[in-house]
Amino acid sequence: MFVKIVATIARFSLFVLPVAALATANCGGGGNGGTAGATGTAGTTGTAGTTGTAGTTGTAGTTGTGGSAVASCTSVSPTAADSTIMDWESVTAGATTSSFGNYQAGTYGGGTFEYPGPASGSTCDQAVNLCPNFDGKNWHIKGTVHDYSGFGIYFNVGVVWDVSMFTGLSFDIGGTFTIAANVDAGAAPAAQVTLNVTDRRHEVDSGHTSDARLTCGTCMPSGGSEYDGSCVAPSTVVTLTSTPTPTTLHWADIAGGRRPPNFSGESPDPTQISHIAWVLPWSGAGAAPYTVDIVIDNLKYLTN
């Protein structure tokens, strides 16, 4: 799932293709094995014994986590009691990820991700990764940006969210950018992130993505490529202060979404959100690496 979200974030508007990707909003999942066919009944003995009955065909495996894709996406809705997405008050000390809701496919829930992250089973290295810490009862991210990078909220597989009962998002965010050690040229970019809120209509459809699994997207890129810039997630730039500052964004404040043939400037459709991500500045090859120290807290839906 995480690989897909990174790909999707890489398609986002901050970089001609910051597409987020892991998919959070992936509709892919791994199936359980089909049920084996029953053994055929042996033929009875006769002058020329009758032929045994053939075993029945096994039932196709159901979709699970990671593997073959499901054919469609289920729309799930939080309740009014879910207005706080995450405040990190109950995360276990030393945890390297955090989650919320029900942690199973097809239900409302998800968790945090950062990219680039360490390989599975490896320790997060701030010299090359974005590394999270939740011990301060918030989401604290430190690390080095040396390529397309960001962090976000992944969704359980097989779902999009209908959050139309809410009017937007709010969160506290702050951070600083510093030119990486031993880098002589350039300076760190302005301390800001681009918030992308992707919905089904702005996400590339499964027929035009390099991801092997289906996505929830319905956008058909005009140039035939997921990277041609015709399918762009709604977004907005958030300026960072040195300490966490409350940020309030209604859905209409998150704009600039594009999809063929001529739709532009659109905000996300809150009935079909597929993932949320914050993308860090990166101008591409030759840019100077820089380090980040970012804190996020009190991630909530707006109720007014």
Side-chain angles (χ1 to χ4, degrees):
M1 178 190 309
F2 292 157
V3 172
K4 167 65 179 160
I5 291 176
V6 172
T8 303
I9 292 179
R11 287 195 297 266
F12 291 160
S13 58
L14 181 58
F15 327 114
V16 177
L17 58 150
V19 347
L22 301 198
T24 51
N26 250 338
C27 295
N32 300 320
T35 303
T39 303
T41 304
T44 59
T45 303
T47 303
T50 60
T51 302
T53 303
T56 60
T57 302
T59 303
T62 59
T63 299
T65 303
S68 60
V70 295
S72 63
C73 294
T74 300
S75 177
V76 298
S77 301
T79 67
D82 296 315
S83 60
T84 294
I85 303 173
M86 281 185 284
D87 60 13
W88 295 281
E89 289 297 318
S90 302
V91 181
T92 303
T96 57
T97 187
S98 62
S99 61
F100 63 97
N102 297 309
Y103 193 74
Q104 63 185 92
T107 63
Y108 176 76
T112 56
F113 71 88
E114 305 79 24
Y115 68 98
S120 178
S122 300
T123 300
C124 197
D125 181 356
Q126 293 182 20
V128 292
N129 303 139
L130 296 184
C131 303
N133 184 286
F134 305 99
D135 291 351
K137 304 303 180 182
N138 51 34
W139 187 10
H140 191 181
I141 302 166
K142 299 178 73 174
T144 302
V145 174
H146 54 87
D147 202 338
Y148 297 116
S149 305
F151 49 93
I153 306 298
Y154 70 82
F155 297 0
N156 289 342
V157 296
V159 301
V160 292
W161 293 355
D162 181 349
V163 292
S164 55
M165 72 173 66
F166 303 109
T167 60
L169 295 171
S170 69
F171 48 89
D172 301 342
I173 189 168
T176 57
F177 297 172
T178 307
I179 198 69
N182 302 318
V183 174
D184 296 327
Q192 60 186 30
V193 294
T194 297
L195 171 67
N196 295 278
V197 178
T198 306
D199 57 9
R200 294 187 72 173
R201 61 185 183 173
H202 293 101
E203 182 176 9
V204 175
D205 71 348
S206 59
H208 295 86
T209 176
S210 58
D211 193 289
R213 299 163 293 180
L214 293 176
T215 75
C216 293
T218 60
C219 184
M220 298 178 62
S222 58
S225 167
E226 61 184 316
Y227 302 122
D228 66 16
S230 57
C231 297
V232 177
S235 65
T236 190
V237 173
V238 178
T239 299
L240 304 182
T241 54
S242 58
T243 57
T245 300
T247 298
T248 298
L249 296 167
H250 291 89
W251 301 127
D253 298 326
I254 305 166
R258 297 199 304 271
R259 57 190 171 112
N262 298 308
F263 301 98
S264 62
E266 293 180 312
S267 295
D269 179 351
T271 68
Q272 53 180 13
I273 302 300
S274 59
H275 51 263
I276 299 169
W278 291 262
V279 181
L280 291 162
W282 183 251
S283 59
Y290 62 97
T291 61
V292 299
D293 187 337
I294 297 171
V295 173
I296 301 175
D297 203 357
N298 300 315
L299 177 59
K300 302 178 180 181
Y301 297 114
L302 291 179
T303 55
N304 53 38

